Amino acid sequence: MVRTVLITGCSSGIGQALAAAFAGRGDTVIATARQPQSLKALRDAGCETLALDVNDAASQQALLAALQAAGYAHIDLLIHNAGISAMGPMLEIPADKLRAQFETNVFAPVLLSQTLLPCLRASARPVIVHVGSVSGILTTPFAGAYCASKAALHCVAEAMRMELAPLGIQVVTVQPGAIQSNFGAAAAASVEQWLRPDSLYASIRDGIMARAGASQVKATPAAAFAAQLLAELDSESPRQVLRIGRGSRSLPVMARWLPARMLRRMLSARFGLTRWKPGESHAVQA
């Protein structure tokens, strides 16, 4: 069965891999990104490519109008993949970075789902997919804002799962582990922009940067992630929570079963906090 699939955040990584995989097997794919020029490879692969800034209400309405004008009567799969990471110490992270973290990772999926609800209801078997993260289960130092946003998204998805069931709309939460992308590089670049030389945590800056890039350590290829997710979504009743990629199973087990004090000590050591004293200078291995 050919399905119409709309995916956000397709310029790279998971979104790009998913769009290519769906298109490769003959599905109708609408790939979106803030900068449509970044979608040329997907357009060449047969995807419809449209501009979408998930944080802009006017952009969302323009997307809906473009879908209607192009004759897309329904959406079978809506995949909320667009996301950003705001890494760094909680008490030093700039207010605009903190707000953007939740605007993009939590509010945007809800508001875009509202906008596209008529398209979903027109489908015979609609599914909304939220790309969360294992970080929404296991909180680490220097990623508090990101971890909190993904935990909130998991809660949003669970509420939507119950509320949309009477409408026949299924809701799937994906909690990836480490997946190859430019996510780590983007996170590190963002921290570099705002972390001050006189930061309270300056002496363990390497620990902060190690956390920013942690998602790319021995990461699962995005294409492998996409293939596994497609196989799961082919089921008439896909599992409601999916964990795919390196660490996606082991880290939640740690979060659930290790004593909290032990877990905090392990994570603090991993990112330099157990050896840190304000004013002293030493680094951790990335």
Side-chain angles (χ1 to χ4, degrees):
M1 179 181 69
V2 176
R3 289 186 287 186
T4 299
V5 185
L6 191 148
I7 309 171
T8 67
C10 292
S11 60
S12 64
I14 288 175
Q16 185 179 75
L18 285 173
F22 278 112
R25 69 176 197 176
D27 286 317
T28 299
V29 179
I30 304 158
T32 70
R34 282 185 299 173
Q35 300 177 338
Q37 64 269 27
S38 67
L39 303 175
K40 182 180 183 303
L42 293 177
R43 186 163 55 251
D44 293 344
C47 297
E48 177 80 33
T49 59
L50 295 173
L52 173 64
D53 180 345
V54 296
N55 292 325
D56 185 85
S59 183
Q60 292 188 15
Q61 290 299 324
L63 172 67
L64 179 60
L67 293 174
Q68 294 170 338
Y72 291 109
H74 65 274
I75 294 173
D76 299 306
L77 275 171
L78 171 58
I79 303 180
H80 294 293
N81 167 71
I84 60 173
S85 60
M87 300 292 179
M90 288 300 298
L91 295 191
E92 294 187 353
I93 189 169
D96 62 331
K97 300 293 184 184
L98 185 60
R99 292 190 178 96
Q101 182 72 100
F102 283 83
E103 288 284 352
T104 303
N105 291 10
V106 184
F107 305 153
V110 175
L111 298 176
L112 183 60
S113 295
Q114 293 177 3
T115 299
L116 297 180
L117 182 58
C119 300
L120 289 163
R121 296 196 67 184
S123 168
R125 188 161 66 92
V127 181
I128 296 175
V129 180
H130 292 287
V131 179
S133 173
V134 69
S135 292
I137 300 169
L138 179 68
T139 303
T140 65
F142 306 131
Y146 178 70
C147 295
S149 73
K150 288 303 186 179
L153 181 62
H154 297 170
C155 292
V156 163
E158 185 63 22
M160 291 176 66
R161 186 172 293 119
M162 293 182 282
E163 294 169 1
L164 296 178
L167 297 176
I169 300 175
Q170 299 182 75
V171 177
V172 173
T173 306
V174 188
Q175 297 172 349
I179 309 297
Q180 288 179 3
S181 70
N182 65 358
F183 194 77
S190 177
V191 175
E192 290 282 8
Q193 289 176 356
W194 65 262
L195 188 65
R196 294 167 54 92
D198 61 351
S199 164
L200 188 63
Y201 299 88
S203 65
I204 53 169
R205 184 187 188 91
D206 285 354
I208 298 172
M209 303 312 292
R211 178 58 189 92
S215 68
Q216 298 308 296
V217 177
K218 298 180 181 179
T220 299
F225 169 90
Q228 188 171 341
L229 180 55
L230 261 65
E232 294 280 359
L233 294 176
D234 280 342
S235 170
E236 288 192 9
S237 297
R239 288 183 291 164
Q240 295 177 347
V241 178
L242 304 173
R243 291 175 179 162
I244 304 172
R246 181 179 177 274
S248 63
R249 296 181 183 277
S250 60
L251 296 180
V253 169
M254 289 173 58
R256 180 169 184 177
W257 295 110
L258 287 183
R261 183 173 296 180
M262 178 187 296
L263 188 59
R264 285 194 295 269
R265 186 166 59 248
M266 289 171 57
L267 293 171
S268 294
R270 171 68 180 85
F271 299 109
L273 285 165
T274 55
R275 294 182 290 159
W276 170 64
K277 292 181 181 180
E280 292 188 0
S281 178
H282 47 256
V284 298
Q285 295 298 315

